[in-house]
Amino acid sequence: MLRGREHERREIRDLLATRAGGALLLHGEPGAGRTALLAYAHRHADGRTLLAGTGVPDEAPLPYAGLQRLLDPVLDRAAALPERQRQVLRRALAGEGCPEADRLALSMAVLGLLAAVTRDRPLLCTMDDVDLGDTPTARTVAFVARRLRHLPVTLLLTAGSDIGAAGIPHRRLLPLDDHDSHALLADRRPGPRPPAPVLAALATIADGNPQALVDLADTLTPGQWHGQEPLPSAPPPDGGLARAYRSLLARLPGDTRCVLLLAALAADAAPGTLARAPGSTGGTPVPVEAATLAGAVRAVGNSVAALTPVEAAGLVRVDPQGDVIFPRPLARSMVQATASLAERRAAHLLLAGALDASGHRLRRALHRAAAADGPDPALAVELERAAASGEDGWDTAATALSRAADLSDDPVRAATRRVTAARYAWSAGQPDRARALLSALPSAPAAPADLLAAPPAASAAAAVTGGADLLRGEMQLRCGPPAVALPTLMAAATALAGTDRTTALVALVRAGEAICFSGDQYRYAEVARRVAALRRDGDPPPAELMTALVAGVAATLRGEHGQGGPLLRRAVVLGGRLTNAVVSPTALTGAAVAGLLVAVDAAAHRLADRAVDLARSRGELSVLPRAFELRAMAEYWLGRHDAAVESCRDGLRVARATGQHTCAGVHLGLLAVLAAVRADRAACLRQVAEIGDTAAPDSRPYALAQWALAVLDLVDGRYADAADRLTALARPGTGRGQVLVQVMATPHLVEAAVHVGRHAQARAALAVFDRWAGSTASPSRRALSARCHALLAPRGSVEAEEQFRTALRLHPADAATFERARTELLFGRDLRRSRRPRDARDHLHRARQTFTLLGAQVWAEQATTELRAAGESVGAPDRPAEQLLTGQQLRIAHLVASGATNREVATQMFLSTRTVDHHLRNIFHRLGIRSRTELARVLG
């Protein structure tokens, strides 16, 4: 099955189905599937005579060799041609050439010969790789392709580009998208599909090229296919795609091949191009700096003009400034893969010589390292120092440290550098690459034989083991099941405790995250105990922040808010004071977590927003999803729901691009909750469906999805279902479940439970919420608590009214307007049901107006329903007139709003005045207005 070529197959079938003739040129890069599409046409050529030819590079110097091979089966029909055409055709195909004056006659002879063949039945004629054969054949076939309209001939051609195809319909074969790439890989290797990250990585390596996908699928080991071994970085050098590129490059002049290899290697060492940037598409162009390439090219007495043949073939573009651009990264990879080792080394040395040692220190060192053929400790040190800043991008730094490890002559130093390379790759958002680097580590770095060096070597080995485990644990936390991450992170903390206390604290903070994410809060006490053992008086701010955070979280999970609150507030203060070298996205996200737990939402938002900006500026993509998550949480509590949605979308995009599947699940869960709060059923269910059954029960994404579904239950009046979902989020007394999510959802739980008379259940949940809210200085949390107490009070009682009024007083006027409107709606409903409709109306009007302004249509409709039940004559909530009126009503409304009388409207629309009157009354009712002036304002 030809994956991803539905449009091309349909076009071929349409050509074959028509009585009239036609031509189509299919062009694209090597391996795009051009030959496969011709084979598809051959299989569907029922009832047609078939002529098939192929451009043969070895015959390119022989004029009309390709034409002779194509027409040989039907040359017996040449007798039907006029004498002159027959003679011209015979001489050309016999190798006697064709003078310029006879070219038209020859072309007409070929057209006439095809016409003679069609007297028996229609003809399918195909010519593969027409651009690889002789030029006279290509020119003649193109002439024929433009003149088939009145003949039952279908002519299909393939070529690398559409050069010379003027007047011929043509279609470029685009790279396959991820879906079709994954399907092709699965087709090639029947049986269990590989894990999603493996499919995604292979699709990225192949760059959407079908032949590259086939080559990869055919050569992967079972361990690679199932994600147990590192994947290759490029298609195999002996595969079908590599053979196609070798054939293509072999036909180029030597100068062109030399300059093309220099360009490919110069692009490979350019910042940001050593590995695919997360989120980039397969066709992301790769630029080459003009000055570097020009210097290397001059050193061999050549110029960039030598690239003209490959520019014509579409492999590169040269812009007016002289910059060389590879439109397809795969082409660059294959140019390198098909060059010999000696050619690559020579090219790297030329490029190193063309780079300034001060301005391009890292790139120069990378080229020198690529040309090295054995250990070089001095060069390894240079690579390590040049990469440390990350200024050239963490992906480039990862390549530098990996190469530095290869050049090291000390096993422990080599292992340390490989772990650092993996850390850089993870920072660049490349977890698969980081895992591959870690997998290359020896099981235990060997210490020097010198006994005097044994203790330092043992410490260095422990640091390597701990650093590797910390990185593995982080990736397991963000990319895989967090429960798997916990033992890895705890082991990392153990290994690092004696050599790098601050990094050991980082490992324990991450272990705490894994515990909370998995819903195993009872295990947090062990993390807190180990953090306390590492704490020292006079710790630097980052270390003090982490110890305060963990101690504060542990106390909060125990319900000891009086103890935890001051510690968490201290962490917030420390986070706000971090500057210069000590500030990091990791520290800022930790402080943001603390801010959310003590409900200082504005401070938490500032910290998370700063973490986002810092991670972006430093290119640390691995921490971005978590920073976006915390920013979205702060925006939720601040009532900035639209901003929270945008933060979640940004976080989801980066999480998916960087393989952080568990983080993606959290963002989908938050998006589902935000959609449910807006009563956007379709969006909510879509997000929940994307989470699917991959989220384990008790995990954060699962809990968020259940919260979202419970809010929809609440909107639809399924109160028992809502209460059941929210109650099941955590199991008090066991330390299991998503306690923090349940606390956040308590206002919804109380509302649902009260509706079905489960007051004890509601009070138990509210007691937990109150202990937390009461320990904070947050008016919004206390407003929600007061609203919950109002719902639990007897309907219409003084207590209920006081609590509702307290809630309205506490709701911030400039934030959380949605929750204020919800309180107004619930208060108005309570007053209306207590037979105080006049008092209810003001609250219901304010709720309706706020919901309408926020675009919360379902909630606005609920407020409208309550207003009508309170005796208010009110129309539908304010929505665009286009959504409320029929087409005819909308036209009448616009005419009236523009000042036309009913009679003038009736005349223009060929209606009676009575009909216009009737429509206008309905328009006023649907829009909830009473006058023409209001109508003009609504439509204005």
Side-chain angles (χ1 to χ4, degrees):
M1 181 177 182
L2 289 173
R3 296 286 184 178
R5 299 292 180 231
E6 290 80 6
H7 295 299
E8 291 81 1
R9 286 186 286 145
R10 186 184 308 115
E11 199 161 358
I12 288 171
R13 291 196 304 270
D14 290 345
L15 276 173
L16 293 172
T18 184
R19 286 178 173 273
L24 176 64
L25 169 67
L26 300 167
H27 61 96
E29 64 182 344
R34 300 173 307 199
T35 302
L37 284 167
L38 292 190
Y40 175 85
H42 294 173
R43 292 194 300 272
H44 289 77
D46 299 335
R48 287 177 175 262
T49 300
L50 176 62
L51 288 179
T54 301
V56 179
D58 288 346
E59 297 182 357
L62 307 176
Y64 301 109
L67 193 64
Q68 188 276 329
R69 296 176 69 240
L70 177 68
L71 299 179
D72 185 65
V74 294
L75 284 178
D76 58 318
R77 304 293 184 95
L81 298 175
E83 178 62 23
R84 183 166 182 271
Q85 290 183 11
R86 189 168 64 251
Q87 292 299 326
V88 170
L89 178 63
R90 183 191 63 77
R91 286 196 300 271
L93 299 187
E96 298 177 15
C98 179
E100 187 73 21
D102 290 341
R103 278 176 50 187
L104 179 59
L106 174 62
S107 299
M108 292 303 297
V110 174
L111 189 62
L113 181 60
L114 297 183
V117 173
T118 63
R119 290 172 187 167
D120 298 332
R121 52 182 179 166
L123 171 66
L124 169 62
C125 182
T126 66
M127 189 76 176
D128 199 10
D129 294 330
V130 66
D131 56 333
L132 300 187
D134 63 279
T135 301
T137 291
R139 191 168 52 228
T140 304
V141 170
F143 176 94
V144 170
R146 301 184 189 102
R147 290 164 174 81
L148 295 176
R149 185 182 307 171
H150 302 297
L151 292 176
V153 176
T154 297
L155 177 58
L156 297 179
L157 308 172
T158 73
S161 71
D162 61 351
I163 295 175
I168 304 174
H170 55 89
R171 178 180 286 276
R172 178 172 173 255
L173 301 184
L174 299 174
L176 303 186
D177 61 22
D178 285 347
H179 177 270
D180 287 319
S181 294
H182 298 172
L184 177 54
L185 287 165
D187 292 344
R188 196 69 183 179
R189 289 182 70 143
R193 288 170 69 93
V198 172
L199 286 174
L202 291 173
T204 299
I205 294 166
D207 209 14
N209 185 286
Q211 185 63 53
L213 291 163
V214 168
D215 292 346
L216 286 165
D218 290 350
T219 56
L220 291 182
T221 66
Q224 290 173 321
W225 183 251
H226 296 295
Q228 298 157 355
E229 298 173 8
L231 294 173
S233 59
D238 56 351
L241 184 63
R243 289 194 296 272
Y245 269 96
R246 282 194 183 91
S247 175
L248 173 64
L249 298 174
R251 296 191 298 275
L252 297 173
D255 289 349
T256 299
R257 291 198 304 272
C258 175
V259 176
L260 183 62
L261 179 59
L262 286 169
L265 295 175
D268 201 37
T273 62
L274 283 154
R276 182 73 48 79
S280 68
T281 60
T284 303
V286 179
V288 183
E289 185 188 19
T292 302
L293 180 60
V297 169
R298 281 196 301 271
V300 292
N302 218 320
S303 74
V304 176
L307 292 175
T308 300
V310 285
E311 187 177 15
L315 285 182
V316 300
R317 293 199 312 266
V318 182
D319 67 16
Q321 290 73 39
D323 289 338
V324 178
I325 299 168
F326 283 86
R328 300 275 292 142
L330 181 63
R332 184 191 84 246
S333 299
M334 298 314 297
V335 168
Q336 297 176 41
T338 54
S340 69
L341 177 60
E343 288 172 333
R344 290 197 302 271
R345 282 179 174 169
H348 277 298
L349 289 174
L350 285 170
L351 290 165
L355 287 165
D356 182 271
S358 58
H360 302 94
R361 180 184 177 189
L362 179 56
R363 292 170 58 195
R364 185 172 184 271
L366 279 168
H367 284 300
R368 289 177 56 211
D373 59 358
D376 189 335
L379 183 53
V381 171
E382 183 178 347
L383 282 166
E384 187 173 30
R385 291 174 178 172
S389 68
E391 291 178 357
D392 289 296
W394 295 114
D395 53 351
T396 306
T399 298
L401 265 293
S402 177
R403 190 70 184 108
D406 295 335
L407 296 172
S408 302
D409 59 356
D410 174 54
V412 175
R413 290 292 296 275
T416 301
R417 286 164 175 158
R418 208 168 297 283
V419 171
T420 305
R423 168 64 63 183
Y424 289 162
W426 171 236
S427 294
Q430 299 160 6
D432 291 329
R433 189 180 181 200
R435 292 188 195 98
L437 287 163
L438 291 177
S439 70
L441 289 171
S443 56
D450 184 356
L451 294 177
L452 294 175
S459 297
V464 169
T465 301
D469 280 344
L470 172 57
L471 182 53
R472 287 191 188 97
E474 280 190 30
M475 292 191 290
Q476 290 165 349
L477 172 62
R478 307 295 183 209
C479 306
V484 177
L486 181 59
T488 308
L489 291 165
M490 296 295 270
T494 299
L496 293 165
T499 59
D500 189 344
R501 197 166 50 84
T502 299
T503 307
L505 287 172
V506 172
L508 290 170
V509 169
R510 292 285 184 264
E513 284 184 45
I515 286 169
C516 292
F517 193 98
S518 303
D520 296 328
Q521 280 84 356
Y522 70 95
R523 306 179 73 171
Y524 203 94
E526 172 63 15
V527 171
R529 184 190 66 75
R530 293 185 59 175
V531 166
L534 291 174
R535 181 184 174 278
R536 302 288 185 272
D537 292 335
D539 268 341
E544 184 184 356
L545 189 159
M546 287 186 283
T547 57
L549 170 65
V550 171
V553 171
T556 299
L557 291 174
R558 295 193 304 268
E560 298 173 1
H561 301 291
Q563 179 184 346
L567 290 166
L568 294 170
R569 280 186 276 274
R570 175 64 179 162
V572 174
V573 171
L574 288 169
R577 292 176 179 173
L578 293 176
T579 57
N580 301 328
V582 297
V583 67
S584 68
T586 296
L588 292 171
T589 54
V593 168
L596 289 169
L597 289 174
V598 290
V600 284
D601 305 319
H605 186 266
R606 284 194 298 272
L607 289 162
D609 193 49
R610 190 179 170 200
V612 168
D613 290 343
L614 189 61
R616 279 174 163 165
S617 67
R618 293 183 177 180
E620 295 183 24
L621 301 181
S622 60
V623 297
L624 262 178
R626 176 66 168 164
F628 276 123
E629 172 197 335
L630 296 170
R631 190 172 80 177
M633 293 293 291
E635 287 161 346
Y636 169 83
W637 283 113
L638 290 167
R640 305 173 190 170
H641 291 184
D642 289 344
V645 168
E646 289 305 310
S647 291
C648 284
R649 286 175 178 165
D650 287 341
L652 178 61
R653 176 183 56 78
V654 179
R656 284 174 167 166
T658 57
Q660 299 189 43
H661 308 294
T662 48
C663 287
V666 173
H667 283 289
L668 286 169
L670 287 171
L671 284 169
V673 170
L674 290 162
V677 166
R678 297 192 310 273
D680 186 344
R681 174 183 309 282
C684 175
L685 295 178
R686 185 168 60 250
Q687 311 297 351
V688 171
E690 286 195 58
I691 295 174
D693 57 2
T694 58
D698 289 341
S699 70
R700 184 72 52 78
Y702 178 85
L704 291 169
Q706 291 300 306
W707 181 12
L709 293 173
V711 174
L712 289 186
D713 289 336
L714 191 63
V715 171
D716 294 338
R718 297 188 297 272
Y719 302 113
D721 291 343
D724 289 342
R725 287 186 193 275
L726 296 175
T727 302
L729 292 182
R731 296 172 290 287
T734 68
R736 296 180 184 274
Q738 290 294 325
V739 176
L740 299 178
V741 175
Q742 189 180 62
V743 170
M744 290 176 64
T746 295
H748 295 127
L749 171 54
V750 169
E751 186 177 345
V754 166
H755 267 286
V756 290
R758 300 181 188 175
H759 290 78
Q761 186 182 53
R763 288 192 178 93
L766 183 56
V768 176
F769 185 85
D770 278 349
R771 284 196 296 273
W772 171 57
S775 71
T776 73
S778 169
S780 63
R781 305 306 192 281
R782 296 187 180 193
L784 293 172
S785 173
R787 186 173 85 194
C788 291
H789 282 284
L791 292 171
L792 279 165
R795 180 182 297 166
S797 65
V798 173
E799 180 188 356
E801 183 170 350
E802 287 178 351
Q803 291 287 3
F804 272 126
R805 294 195 184 282
T806 297
L808 290 174
R809 186 177 69 253
L810 288 170
H811 277 302
D814 58 344
T817 52
F818 179 85
E819 291 300 338
R820 169 182 281 276
R822 288 274 291 127
T823 300
E824 295 272 21
L825 173 59
L826 292 169
F827 190 16
R829 179 183 294 168
D830 189 79
L831 290 170
R832 197 266 302 167
R833 293 177 179 179
S834 302
R835 299 184 179 180
R836 295 171 60 185
R838 179 175 298 177
D839 294 334
R841 289 172 195 155
D842 286 343
H843 297 289
L844 295 172
H845 270 298
R846 284 194 290 271
R848 179 178 183 270
Q849 182 179 14
T850 301
F851 288 138
T852 300
L853 290 173
L854 294 174
Q857 202 57 44
V858 173
W859 294 112
E861 289 169 358
Q862 288 196 12
T864 300
T865 300
E866 288 293 331
L867 275 168
R868 288 172 179 162
E872 185 82 1
S873 177
V874 62
D878 297 336
R879 282 190 291 177
E882 290 82 357
Q883 297 180 19
L884 293 169
L885 304 178
T886 67
Q888 189 176 51
Q889 287 174 338
L890 189 61
R891 187 178 176 195
I892 291 172
H894 279 295
L895 289 171
V896 171
S898 67
T901 65
N902 288 9
R903 185 177 298 279
E904 290 169 340
V905 173
T907 301
Q908 288 192 47
M909 296 188 65
F910 303 100
L911 299 172
S912 68
T913 305
R914 179 177 298 178
T915 300
V916 173
D917 291 341
H918 171 75
H919 280 307
L920 198 55
R921 284 194 298 273
N922 287 335
I923 291 167
F924 282 8
H925 176 73
R926 289 193 178 195
L927 297 181
I929 58 178
R930 295 190 177 95
S931 69
R932 291 171 180 260
T933 302
E934 288 183 82
L935 178 62
R937 186 173 65 250
V938 168
L939 296 180

